[in-house]
């Protein structure tokens, strides 16, 4: 069983669980939506959507919490083409999402959301370039992305609070939370205070939940590209070994000690 559940497989497990959640949630909206725009409360399809997602989250938590390895940035985030593509994808997702949600109408929160979205795009492009080369960006770039998802969460909560059914927004709510946390832990690594286990956990959770959040959401592309970004920008899953620092590696200090 241990061989079948190697940590390297967990991005695929999260992806598969998220796709199953997406399928069942899509069927829920397709087959049970009534003329008032409500879905059947407590329907078996919503329960089936939760089963693989919950299983993946619990399995990830139990497995990742046993991981060790130090938190030095250079060893945890080497050059990665997939990580760069994931960052570029989220930048595109944010950029395309903005024009469809410009109903500002003097709402200060909406204006702040828009400004952070616009600033997040070049931040994500730059961090994508850093991922391609293995260079560490300053924490400011992912901090901006974290703030964007924080404001996105608050802004969406205003509309979700008027929704009569939790089935329609629960995955989007959790996705927004974990995207924010994932960006926060990326910023923490950029600042040299990252923690491997928390970064992996939040990334796996965001990747899985974002896919399940797509049906019924007004931010389908944002959650889809958010899933790609989260799953392709995990720190290395195999615990990196501590090695003697060289003069060249000192540029990546300070970094936190090994997770224990």
């Amino acid at each position: 069983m241990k061989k079948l559940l190697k940590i390297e497989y967990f991005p695929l497990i999260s992806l598969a669980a998220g796709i199953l959640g997406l399928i069942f949630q899509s069927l829920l909206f397709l087959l049970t939506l009534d003329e008032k725009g409500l879905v059947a409360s407590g329907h078996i399809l919503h329960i089936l959507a939760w089963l693989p997602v919950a299983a993946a989250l619990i399995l990830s938590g139990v497995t990742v919490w046993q991981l060790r390895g130090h938190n030095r940035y250079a060893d945890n985030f080497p050059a990665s083409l997939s990580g760069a593509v994931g960052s570029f994808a989220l930048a595109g997702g944010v950029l395309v999402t903005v024009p469809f949600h410009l109903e500002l109408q003097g709402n200060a929160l909406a204006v702040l959301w828009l400004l952070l979205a616009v600033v997040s795009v070049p931040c994500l492009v730059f961090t994508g370039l850093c991922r391609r080369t293995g260079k560490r960006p300053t924490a400011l770039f992912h901090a901006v992305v974290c703030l964007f998802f924080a404001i996105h969460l608050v802004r969406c909560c205003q509309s979700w609070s008027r929704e009569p059914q939790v089935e329609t927004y629960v995955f989007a709510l959790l996705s927004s939370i974990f995207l924010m946390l994932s960006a926060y832990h990326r910023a923490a690594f950029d600042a040299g205070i990252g923690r491997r286990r928390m970064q992996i956990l939040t990334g796996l959770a965001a990747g899985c939940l974002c896919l399940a959040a797509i049906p019924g959401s007004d931010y389908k592309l944002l959650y889809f590209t958010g899933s790609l970004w989260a799953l392709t920008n995990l720190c290395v899953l195999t615990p990196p070994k501590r090695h003697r620092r060289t003069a060249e590696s000192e540029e990546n200090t300070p970094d936190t000690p090994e997770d224990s």
Side-chain angles (χ1 to χ4, degrees):
M1 187 66 173
K2 271 191 171 182
K3 289 183 179 180
L4 293 176
L5 294 178
K6 288 183 178 179
I7 187 62
E8 292 86 354
Y9 299 153
F10 274 77
L12 291 177
I13 292 173
S14 291
L15 180 66
I19 290 174
L20 287 174
L22 184 155
I23 291 171
F24 288 123
Q25 280 290 97
S26 297
L27 290 174
L28 178 71
F29 281 95
L30 180 65
L31 301 178
T32 73
L33 200 66
D34 62 21
E35 63 279 358
K36 296 180 181 178
L38 301 175
V39 297
S41 184
H43 198 277
I44 184 63
L45 286 171
H46 185 63
I47 297 172
L48 288 175
W50 261 113
L51 287 177
V53 171
L57 293 177
I58 293 170
L59 193 58
S60 296
V62 171
T63 304
V64 172
W65 209 249
Q66 301 176 50
L67 288 180
R68 296 180 66 85
H70 67 83
N71 299 303
R72 181 171 174 266
Y73 183 91
D75 292 337
N76 281 283
F77 290 98
S80 169
L81 177 59
S82 61
V85 170
S87 296
F88 297 151
L90 181 55
V94 174
L95 184 62
V96 173
T97 296
V98 168
F100 294 98
H101 297 275
L102 292 179
E103 64 285 1
L104 303 182
Q105 301 174 349
N107 186 328
L109 191 64
V111 173
L112 181 58
W113 177 86
L114 173 61
L115 291 175
L116 285 170
V118 171
V119 176
S120 291
V121 172
C123 287
L124 285 163
V125 171
F126 180 74
T127 57
L129 293 173
C130 289
R131 283 292 280 143
R132 183 67 187 94
T133 60
K135 293 182 179 179
R136 179 166 73 180
T138 63
L140 175 65
F141 295 99
H142 280 117
V144 170
V145 178
C146 179
L147 282 174
F148 165 70
F149 282 122
I151 297 302
H152 176 75
L153 173 63
V154 174
R155 184 167 178 259
C156 287
C157 280
Q158 293 180 332
S159 60
W160 290 333
S161 64
R162 298 189 291 270
E163 288 285 341
Q165 295 179 297
V166 70
E167 289 91 343
T168 61
Y169 66 84
V170 62
F171 284 119
L173 170 63
L174 293 173
S175 296
S176 300
I177 291 172
F178 279 99
L179 282 171
M180 176 186 67
L181 291 174
S182 186
Y184 168 80
H185 286 289
R186 281 303 314 275
F189 258 103
D190 297 341
I193 55 173
R195 295 291 179 183
R196 278 174 44 75
R197 288 181 294 203
M198 291 306 299
Q199 199 279 328
I200 295 173
L201 276 175
T202 54
L204 290 174
C208 178
L209 289 163
C210 279
L211 292 174
I214 292 174
S217 172
D218 293 330
Y219 299 92
K220 290 180 172 59
L221 184 60
L222 181 63
Y223 289 128
F224 174 69
T225 55
S227 176
L228 294 180
W229 171 74
L231 291 177
T232 57
N233 278 280
L234 301 170
C235 57
V236 293
L237 298 175
T238 303
K241 295 179 180 179
R242 176 66 69 182
H243 57 80
R244 186 185 300 274
R245 289 175 181 264
T246 64
E248 182 181 353
S249 71
E250 289 297 324
E251 66 179 3
N252 288 309
T253 59
D255 283 297
T256 51
E258 180 175 325
D259 275 349
S260 57

